[in-house]
Amino acid sequence: MTSTHRRRRRALALVALLGALTVWPAITAAAADTATEAAAPPQGGAVEVSYSDVTEIRPGEGWLIDCSGVGDLDGIEVSCADDSVTLVSAGFDTELGEQTLTVPQVSGSTTISVAYRVRLEPPPIPEVALGRLDLPIVVGEQTLVPLSALGITCAVCTTDGGASIRIDTLPAGVSAGVSETHLALRGEKAGDAIVPLTITDDAGQAVSVELTVTFVGAPAPTLGALHVTGDAEKLDIVDLIWGGDATVVCSSPQSIGLRCTEDGAVERTGKGPAQLFFRAVDDDGRLTWGSITDDADADVTELVAPSWESEAPLSLVSAPVDEQQADDAVPLAGLARLLEGIPAS
């Protein structure tokens, strides 16, 4: 072999050695990164506690929770096991804001304290079930609509929390006002009109809806029902109807409220703001609405006075009730749903 060939072999060997030295540190660094990632400690972050369900904080792979060092939270129940911390909301509270929960975690001989930023998840946005009144309103006549008839579903709507119902810009010829219990309406001409409403809950979440109302040019009604406030269990619904015999149809029950019984009496289904909305239908198909707003401490029964204010506190709300519960709990609930589909003209 010539000296030229030997020099070429030494050169190739040197190049190969330099290449190996260049690749080896890169492989070593990649392996180190992988090991670091596998052993990476858990990181804290933001946690939203569900309004109606259980929320969990779980440690990373290979880590356990040291329950002895887990902190407490205002308005949130904290339960601990070595594989999770469980958080349950005691109810939405706008004043709680964001809190810090320290959760010590252990892996082998390593212990770290992980801080989580905890806040309450907003409650469901309010909903309004009714889009059209099935009660025709005579032009020029003043009509009261109980708020329970609107079917407002709200998870957190209380007067103390700031929940409200507001009437927005009305079309020409329509007057409307609202109180804590009723919506007052009056129209100057026949036809459909839109009454815009905004519902705001304790969390400041607002939903705007359009309520269609039908005004008719017709003689004064010969069938009517009263809107009263008083001790509901001392009242008989039949006594609140005037103008002849009529079939009483009760609304679906509120989660906290009232319901009518088979014999026409009223019974409470819970404690809290309650209002019973009912319809009366005579043999000629004439329809009217009435209501009882419960006041268990009232000594006398009083007629509801209309309010023409544009905004009022809101607490008369309901929670969803499935159809089977409604049929079991309320006489003629099925008929009530049929009536809601009848045009108001």
Side-chain angles (χ1 to χ4, degrees):
M1 181 179 297
T2 66
S3 60
T4 301
H5 289 156
R6 284 196 296 270
R7 285 196 298 270
R8 286 178 178 174
R9 290 182 61 184
R10 285 198 299 270
L12 290 173
L14 180 61
V15 170
L17 177 60
L18 290 172
L21 291 174
T22 303
V23 173
W24 175 251
I27 295 174
T28 304
D33 288 345
T34 302
T36 301
E37 182 179 347
Q43 300 296 314
V47 177
E48 278 200 338
V49 179
S50 170
Y51 175 78
S52 58
D53 204 353
V54 173
T55 301
E56 288 187 335
I57 296 174
R58 291 189 172 274
E61 184 75 22
W63 293 81
L64 296 175
I65 296 172
D66 176 10
C67 290
S68 64
V70 174
D72 296 323
L73 295 171
D74 293 334
I76 299 173
E77 181 182 338
V78 181
S79 302
C80 183
D82 61 6
D83 62 345
S84 68
V85 172
T86 300
L87 307 176
V88 179
S89 168
F92 188 78
D93 186 343
T94 55
E95 297 182 357
L96 281 184
E98 188 174 271
Q99 304 179 70
T100 299
L101 179 67
T102 300
V103 181
Q105 300 183 31
V106 179
S107 178
S109 61
T110 303
T111 300
I112 61 172
S113 292
V114 183
Y116 293 89
R117 304 188 310 277
V118 180
R119 58 179 176 265
L120 293 178
E121 178 186 64
I125 295 175
E127 297 181 357
V128 180
L130 189 67
R132 170 186 282 274
L133 293 186
D134 66 19
L135 176 70
I137 300 174
V138 176
V139 171
E141 294 289 327
Q142 175 180 285
T143 298
L144 288 175
V145 176
L147 294 187
S148 57
L150 302 181
I152 301 172
T153 301
C154 182
V156 188
C157 279
T158 64
T159 53
D160 292 340
S164 67
I165 178 170
R166 186 182 73 239
I167 298 171
D168 297 318
T169 304
L170 292 165
V174 176
S175 299
V178 67
S179 70
E180 294 186 34
T181 60
H182 288 76
L183 174 67
L185 297 169
R186 185 169 57 234
E188 297 178 1
K189 59 180 181 181
D192 284 354
I194 299 296
V195 177
L197 302 172
T198 295
I199 307 299
T200 304
D201 67 5
D202 288 10
Q205 302 176 121
V207 58
S208 295
V209 297
E210 293 183 340
L211 179 65
T212 301
V213 180
T214 300
F215 296 98
V216 296
T222 55
L223 177 69
L226 302 178
H227 299 273
V228 300
T229 298
D231 185 344
E233 291 190 316
K234 294 181 180 179
L235 298 174
D236 191 323
I237 295 177
V238 175
D239 295 337
L240 304 180
I241 301 170
W242 54 268
D245 294 335
T247 300
V248 175
V249 182
C250 282
S251 64
S252 297
Q254 299 177 64
S255 56
I256 298 176
L258 308 169
R259 66 180 178 186
C260 59
T261 63
E262 293 285 0
D263 59 2
V266 180
E267 66 180 12
R268 294 187 181 90
T269 60
K271 297 179 179 179
Q275 184 179 68
L276 179 68
F277 155 57
F278 63 89
R279 296 174 175 88
V281 186
D282 67 11
D283 292 339
D284 296 327
R286 291 172 297 181
L287 174 69
T288 190
W289 289 9
S291 68
I292 299 171
T293 303
D294 190 28
D295 182 356
D297 298 325
D299 295 326
V300 296
T301 300
E302 297 181 345
L303 292 175
V304 173
S307 166
W308 298 102
E309 298 293 328
S310 61
E311 188 170 3
L314 177 66
S315 61
L316 282 171
V317 297
S318 59
V321 178
D322 65 45
E323 292 189 5
Q324 184 60 49
Q325 287 175 316
D327 288 338
D328 291 343
V330 182
L332 301 176
L335 176 57
R337 284 194 296 275
L338 288 175
L339 288 173
E340 289 169 357
I342 298 175
S345 58

